[in-house]
Amino acid sequence: MLKVKIIFKTFLFGLSLSLLLPVKGWGQFSNADCLNCHGDKTLSRMVKGRTISLYLDEPLFKKSIHGELECTNCHQSIKELPHAEKLASPDCGTCHSDVRGMVSKGLHNLIKDGCWACHGTHDIKSSQVSTSITHKDNRTELCLKCHKDRENVFFTTYQHSSVEFPGGAKGKVHCYQCHDSHRASLPEPVKVCGTCHNKIFAELNKSVHAKAKLRELPNCRNCHSEHKVKAGELVDKFTRLTQEISGCRECHSKETEDYFQGMHGKEFQKKNPDVPSCVSCHGAHGILSEKDPESPIFHNNIIKLCVKCHEDEKLMAKYEQLPQPVVFKAFEKSVHGMAVEEHGLLVAPSCIECHGAHEMRPADDPKSPVNKVNIAHTCAKCHPGIDEVYQRSIHGVTLSKGILDSPTCTDCHGEHDITAVRDPSGRVSPKNIPKTCSACHAEEKIVKKYGLLPVAYDTYKDSFHGIAHKFGEIVVADCASCHGYHDILPSSDPRSSINPKNIPQTCGKCHKGASENFAKGKVHIEATKESSLGVYIVRKFYTWFIGILAILFVAYILLDVLGRRRRRIKGI
Amino acid sequence: MEEKIMIERFTRSQRVQHFLLLVSFIILIVTGLALKFHDSWFGKLVITLEGGVIARGIFHRFAAVLLIFVAFYHFFYIIFTRYGHDEFLLVLPKFKDFKAAFQSVKFTLGLSAEHAEIDKYAPPDKFQYWAVVAGSFLMIITGLVLWYQTQAMLVLPKWAIDITRVVHSYQGVIIAVVILLWHLYIVHLNPKRFPMSRIWIDGKVSLEELKVEHPLEYERKYQGVADENK
């Protein structure tokens, strides 16, 4: 029986050979011929001192996707047996010309071992077979055979090593998904990343960067380090800020330098994770032009942007030296804040018009636009005429000489809570002017230091003007009515509204037809010998006179009452 | 009970003058002192009740006009009416007033049992009358200067206005003191008449009282009347 079986098998083998041979070149040699030698496990050759096995595991080959091909289909340089010792490498492109075309354009074209570095040689399996080294699930491991240095980062820190795909499936993103198996190209980041991150891709396409048509647009890689890429929320906050800033810095170096000059940047350099980075204000992917009303840095959105942090009670509680949320809320109610937020005026200042944007310096920095000596110039950006007048006034002149007690715009108008003059709650409303001026002019230290009229406020309060003002009359003269406001000058200055020459005109604003006699005498009358002798004498006289009269009358009453009592007792 | 004989000491015209003067004085003093003591609770209360400083000024000036009217009325009254002129002559200060005043003091102190010889107007009455005349005159003049200060300053320098203001202010206090401390005591608040004499309403006093307080006038005019009744 055994014999019969062997004979039958031999027959079948012969039959199959006879069927194949005519196709594969009958009359030449077959795989069996090759195996005569290469079937020997000991067959080998020395290459550069290393022993290379020349054994072909036939069953393995048979199972491979190429198992039905002749050896010579690939090893085409073999024309006769025995063949030369050194042979030209097989050219896969003979059959897989399309793939070869792709590879030749990619980086892997440089690899000497060609296709089989990845695919193997005689044991090539279809990539559809799950055990195949080129099966999609195994491909990353395949890449890592050579790209080993990347392994650690890839599988330990990569967000991409564990991803939840849309639809809920979990898995990892493989090398080929970005790099393409055969092209092995350096991917075009925006496009490649966008295949999955299509929402971000859409944002990017709308961004000012996309519209700018720059030669080299910022791409994902600029900010998200390529293989170490992690979801933002997984990175610690300060690292994230660092990445954001360094990403933008590549192109926007000037703005970044400015940023480092400002408070935010200085704090960043102290590794404070609470500071804003570029992204905090400008947005990340869908960065829009400042002219775009949708942009967070569009003029009318800036207040909202700044108060995101500065009205955050919790955050600001950590920074007591900063203006607290209440200040920002006051700004939103101020004439400027309302103009921006309620009325949408582009000419009204938001935060950055006064404080600067990237170079946001603290007020005690002499270069800060909100430093006391610079404030008038800052306000003058919008109020140039007033600044010109102010600079000529006693307050402007003394401040420019370095007397920092001199008031600048904000000392009278307030800072964030500036109100319109007609707003009765405001510091510069006629109702509150005396209070505002007296903050300095009735302040003993300042009055003494600069030799100001010490009784200005007290005597005003006691004058007809002051009394009427106290009882709510706002048409009556307050400090500014006579002294002016931006153009205040001492009475010795001929340009001053209270210079004796100009007094009739100044008083005449209300007292129609005021004569020169208005200037003959003091306005802030203090009843002392030195200041107003006449008033002093009259007051002294009357004080005594009234006192004596009162005593006499009381004495009269007492005597009369006692006298009547005495007479009644005596019965007269 | 024997019915008291009542004598009309003040005529209706005098009572009307007194009433108008009284009204204007009260308004002037209240609104004036409110301004002077504007920082006190009194000033604040009065000015608020009046509806602000502007309204206060209007009340004050209204009363001032009334005072000026009474002043003119009185001026014509003493010049052009017989009775008014006689009364004026009676109220003129005379040397014997000093003697009477001295005697009154002695009587009050119990140094003398005799009443002073007093005609219709006793020395304190005369003093009050002339104080009111002088005070009103000064107040009207200074008040008008302050009222029309721009016009006044065509002539007067600013410092003169300032003095005018002080004079007006303190003179007002004097008038208030005279009235509150003296006039009110003499006519109403003294133990004999407390709480109020009706003389300012009906102008009448009893003959008995008149005899004690104004013996000369009694002798001169009412001796006969008293005898008739007996």
Side-chain angles (χ1 to χ4, degrees), chain A residues 10 75 109 165 174 195 224 237 240-241 360 384 420 426 442 507 510-511 526 559:
Chain A
T10 317
H75 298 282
N109 193 34
F165 294 105
H174 290 276
T195 49
H224 304 277
K237 213 178 155 206
R240 191 175 166 194
L241 293 177
M360 181 91 52
C507 298
C510 299
H511 301 274
E526 192 193 359
L559 289 179

Side-chain angles (χ1 to χ4, degrees), chain A residues 248-469:
Chain A
C248 302
R249 191 180 200 168
E250 282 183 33
C251 299
H252 300 283
S253 58
K254 189 193 168 293
E255 287 79 0
T256 318
E257 284 319 305
D258 285 348
Y259 169 80
F260 283 125
Q261 294 304 314
M263 245 181 305
H264 293 144
K266 290 244 162 73
E267 281 298 307
F268 171 77
Q269 284 165 324
K270 289 182 201 159
K271 300 205 188 313
N272 182 341
D274 288 337
V275 296
S277 72
C278 318
V279 172
S280 317
C281 299
H282 291 272
H285 301 111
I287 292 178
L288 299 173
S289 156
E290 59 179 338
K291 293 187 183 98
D292 189 324
E294 297 288 306
S295 166
I297 58 155
F298 176 67
H299 178 269
N300 293 4
N301 298 335
I302 281 189
I303 299 174
K304 263 180 244 133
L305 181 64
C306 297
V307 301
K308 260 204 310 199
C309 294
H310 287 278
E311 281 188 11
D312 181 337
E313 305 272 357
K314 239 177 164 180
L315 182 63
M316 285 303 121
K318 277 168 74 180
Y319 301 100
E320 283 172 4
Q321 74 280 18
L322 291 180
Q324 292 301 300
V326 60
V327 173
F328 288 80
K329 283 179 181 140
F331 175 68
E332 291 187 79
K333 293 267 171 295
S334 77
V335 71
H336 289 147
M338 296 283 272
V340 174
E341 292 202 312
E342 288 270 302
H343 307 296
L345 291 181
L346 292 175
V347 290
S350 67
C351 312
I352 60 169
E353 276 74 13
C354 299
H355 290 275
H358 302 114
E359 199 178 339
M360 181 91 52
R361 290 171 186 267
D364 55 10
D365 183 330
K367 283 188 186 167
S368 166
V370 294
N371 182 276
K372 180 139 188 181
V373 294
N374 301 329
I375 279 188
H377 299 291
T378 303
C379 298
K381 287 200 290 186
C382 298
H383 304 281
I386 291 171
D387 180 50
E388 207 180 298
V389 173
Y390 165 76
Q391 295 298 348
R392 288 196 301 261
S393 79
I394 183 74
H395 292 147
V397 168
T398 48
L399 183 60
S400 69
K401 282 181 187 162
I403 295 173
L404 292 179
D405 285 330
S406 263
T408 183
C409 316
T410 50
D411 291 299
C412 301
H413 290 271
E415 293 168 352
H416 294 105
D417 54 351
I418 291 179
T419 51
V421 176
R422 64 183 174 278
D423 184 334
S425 69
R427 285 183 182 79
V428 292
S429 79
K431 200 174 147 232
N432 295 327
I433 281 262
K435 205 170 132 202
T436 302
C437 298
S438 64
C440 293
H441 284 270
E443 169 66 44
E444 209 185 328
K445 261 193 217 160
I446 291 176
V447 168
K448 268 193 185 159
K449 194 169 170 191
Y450 301 106
L452 306 174
L453 183 64
V455 293
Y457 185 47
D458 288 339
T459 52
Y460 170 74
K461 280 198 294 189
D462 211 32
S463 71
F464 281 131
H465 292 151
I467 296 167
H469 186 275

Side-chain angles (χ1 to χ4, degrees), chain B residues 134-163:
Chain B
S136 298
F137 181 74
L138 194 55
M139 291 307 273
I140 288 170
I141 297 300
T142 53
L144 283 173
V145 166
L146 295 173
W147 189 345
Y148 296 103
Q149 60 173 291
T150 308
Q151 288 78 351
M153 277 165 86
L154 291 172
V155 186
L156 297 170
K158 166 84 167 58
W159 60 263
I161 299 290
D162 298 332
I163 290 175

Side-chain angles (χ1 to χ4, degrees), chain B residues 54-113:
Chain B
I54 300 290
R56 186 215 68 84
I58 291 168
F59 277 110
H60 197 75
R61 286 170 175 82
F62 167 79
V65 170
L66 186 59
L67 175 65
I68 293 168
F69 169 76
V70 176
F72 274 100
Y73 184 97
H74 183 69
F75 185 68
F76 289 119
Y77 174 74
I78 59 175
I79 287 182
F80 295 116
T81 68
R82 180 89 223 178
Y83 186 74
H85 192 69
D86 289 348
E87 287 277 284
F88 178 69
L89 294 177
L90 280 173
V91 87
L92 274 176
K94 299 197 175 79
F95 179 70
K96 63 176 181 180
D97 291 331
F98 291 99
K99 277 202 321 198
F102 189 63
Q103 179 62 30
S104 288
V105 172
K106 280 211 291 192
F107 177 78
T108 303
L109 290 174
L111 300 175
S112 165

Side-chain angles (χ1 to χ4, degrees), chain A residues 34-44 53-57:
Chain A
C34 300
L35 286 167
N36 277 343
C37 298
H38 289 285
D40 179 0
K41 284 182 181 175
T42 59
L43 190 66
S44 64
S53 172
L54 295 174
Y55 166 70
L56 175 73
D57 188 344

